[in-house]
């Protein structure tokens, strides 16, 4: 029987918890056949969800007498700010203690990182087939420079924002809470949407518009401006109605994509992400066609005296199915190389 050391990976959002194992000695460290997903609402804590996953994996491997998998370390990427030993999931009640979670699982080591640090660390591992260009120019991953700066932004249950600095081949992820900066409207219609959302929320952050619940907020605001009551909808209801030709829902997606483009361009200017910005999160694959045929790229480039510069910067939708776990695996390679 062979003993195989593995690192437990987790990508924790406001809705889903995804787990996998990493082999830090392998050329492709993320073990795709080990990926499992659960609803965070089904567990009282991250430690409970992780223990449930480990039990499932152990039960499956019990039938294989040829190997013995040992898991003593972990890398957990969480959708919230990591402050020392503690992290709070922004859109879920979990409060995570690194030390208590490590002890509950009996681990020797545990890294707790922001989910967009993991998303950023995935970027060097992405190939041409893992991304789709939104507009031009194209991206050539085989010609990545040794000195570059990327942005990464993604709408899911909330809006994550981060970046990756690469200097002499060394990677430095940037953890931010950029989704909570203030929303700046760019058209008269967006000003009207802001007025509606301000009446409901007071201060309006970008995340109030650019995420799953944000799409619903935009749709409701447009309906209220028109004197209509849309009822209680989910994001999938808005996209389904748009596909069936509903004008208000289609308009909501247009506004969503345009604001998303403007915000993404602002990230490039703020971070100096001149080498490209990557779009990730649960909504991007679902809205890929809309993003490609919307005002996203026009609003991304529309930055006054920097418009010509912005026109040369690629915007790339990540279509890899598990970029958060891929990035967590990259962190595991650095943290637990042996």
């Amino acid at each position: 029987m062979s003993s195989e050391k593995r690192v437990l990976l987790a990508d924790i959002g406001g809705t889903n918890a995804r787990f996998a194992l990493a082999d830090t000695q392998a050329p492709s460290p993320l073990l795709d056949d080990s990926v499992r997903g659960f609803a965070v609402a089904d567990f009282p804590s991250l430690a409970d969800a992780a223990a449930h996953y480990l039990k499932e994996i152990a039960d499956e491997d019990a039938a294989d007498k040829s190997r013995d998998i040992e898991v003593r370390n972990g890398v957990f990427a969480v959708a919230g700010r990591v402050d020392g030993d503690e992290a709070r999931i922004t859109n879920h009640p979990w409060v995570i203690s690194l030390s208590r979670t490590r002890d509950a699982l009996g681990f020797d080591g545990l890294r707790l990182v922001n989910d967009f640090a993991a998303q950023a660390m995935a970027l060097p591992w992405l190939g041409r087939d893992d991304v789709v260009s939104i507009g031009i120019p194209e991206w050539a991953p085989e010609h990545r420079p040794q000195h570059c700066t990327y942005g990464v932004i993604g709408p899911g249950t909330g809006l994550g924002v981060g970046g990756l600095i690469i200097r002499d081949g060394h990677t430095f992820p940037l953890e931010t809470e950029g989704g909570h900066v203030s929303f700046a409207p760019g058209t008269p219609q967006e000003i009207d949407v802001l007025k509606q959302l301000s009446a409901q929320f007071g201060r309006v952050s970008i995340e109030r518009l650019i995420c799953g619940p944000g799409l619903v907020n935009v749709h409701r605001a447009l309906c209220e401006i028109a004197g209509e009551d849309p009822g209680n909808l989910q994001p999938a209801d808005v996209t389904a109605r748009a596909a069936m030709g509903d004008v208000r829902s289609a308009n909501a997606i247009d506004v969503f994509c345009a604001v998303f483009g403007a915000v993404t361009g602002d990230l490039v200017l703020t971070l100096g992400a001149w080498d490209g910005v990557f779009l990730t999160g649960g909504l991007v694959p679902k809205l890929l066609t809309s993003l490609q045929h919307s005002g996203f790229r026009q609003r991304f480039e529309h930055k006054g005296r920097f418009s010509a510069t912005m026109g040369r910067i690629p915007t790339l939708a990540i279509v890899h199915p598990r970029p958060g776990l891929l990035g967590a695996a990259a962190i595991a390679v650095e943290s637990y190389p042996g």
Side-chain angles (χ1 to χ4, degrees):
M1 178 186 294
S2 63
S3 179
E4 302 175 1
K5 292 185 178 181
R6 300 289 183 258
V7 177
L8 176 60
L9 312 175
D11 180 20
I12 310 300
T15 303
N16 297 305
R18 300 175 181 88
F19 294 94
L21 298 177
D23 179 355
T24 60
Q25 301 297 304
S28 299
L30 174 61
L31 303 178
D32 289 328
D33 61 353
S34 71
V35 176
R36 306 287 186 277
F38 310 103
V40 294
D42 291 343
F43 300 92
S45 72
L46 174 53
D48 287 298
H52 178 82
Y53 168 82
L54 289 172
K55 184 178 184 304
E56 274 199 3
I57 292 296
D59 290 344
E60 292 171 9
D61 288 336
D64 185 351
K65 305 298 184 182
S66 65
R67 64 177 187 170
D68 176 28
I69 293 179
E70 180 183 6
V71 182
R72 301 293 301 175
N73 299 294
V75 176
F76 292 177
V78 299
R81 181 171 178 262
V82 179
D83 186 7
D85 181 78
E86 186 177 277
R88 294 175 179 268
I89 304 297
T90 305
N91 292 295
H92 186 73
W94 279 357
V95 178
I96 300 163
S97 164
L98 184 152
S99 57
R100 288 197 297 271
T101 303
R102 181 191 61 221
D103 293 346
L105 295 171
F107 281 3
D108 296 327
L110 179 62
R111 288 284 309 276
L112 192 63
V113 301
N114 176 266
D115 62 332
F116 267 69
Q119 293 280 350
M121 286 294 287
L123 303 185
W125 296 78
L126 296 175
R128 186 180 294 273
D129 293 339
D130 294 321
V131 301
V132 173
S133 292
I134 306 297
I136 55 174
E138 296 290 328
W139 179 60
E142 62 273 17
H143 299 306
R144 279 178 276 212
Q146 290 293 296
H147 286 64
C148 54
T149 304
Y150 295 121
V152 58
I153 183 169
T157 305
L159 178 65
V161 180
L164 185 70
I165 297 173
I166 301 178
R167 297 293 183 268
D168 295 322
H170 298 287
T171 54
F172 305 93
L174 300 178
E175 302 180 17
T176 86
E177 288 298 335
H180 297 279
V181 303
S182 299
F183 166 55
T187 67
Q189 185 180 51
E190 290 170 15
I191 292 172
D192 291 339
V193 169
L194 175 59
K195 290 178 180 178
Q196 292 292 325
L197 296 182
S198 294
Q200 180 178 356
F201 298 113
R203 177 183 180 271
V204 179
S205 68
I206 298 168
E207 189 176 76
R208 294 296 189 186
L209 292 85
I210 308 303
C211 66
L215 177 60
V216 175
N217 289 339
V218 171
H219 180 264
R220 174 169 286 280
L222 293 172
C223 289
E224 290 173 346
I225 291 167
E228 302 168 357
D229 181 2
N232 188 18
L233 301 181
Q234 297 298 315
D237 299 323
V238 179
T239 55
R241 290 185 180 192
M244 295 173 62
D246 179 69
V247 174
R248 203 75 65 209
S249 298
N251 188 200
I253 292 175
D254 287 342
V255 171
F256 179 99
C257 292
V259 173
F260 188 19
V263 169
T264 302
D266 289 343
L267 172 61
V268 170
L269 296 176
T270 303
L271 190 61
W274 309 118
D275 298 289
V277 59
F278 291 79
L279 317 179
T280 187
L283 260 66
V284 168
K286 297 173 184 176
L287 294 177
L288 185 57
T289 301
S290 297
L291 288 167
Q292 291 173 312
H293 299 93
S294 70
F296 175 92
R297 185 70 196 190
Q298 187 271 332
R299 288 288 293 278
F300 172 84
E301 296 182 14
H302 186 59
K303 299 299 179 186
R305 288 169 287 180
F306 274 83
S307 292
T309 300
M310 299 298 288
R312 297 191 293 270
I313 297 171
T315 49
L316 303 154
I318 297 176
V319 294
H320 186 283
R322 293 173 283 272
L325 290 174
L326 180 65
I331 296 171
V333 170
E334 292 189 356
S335 302
Y336 311 109

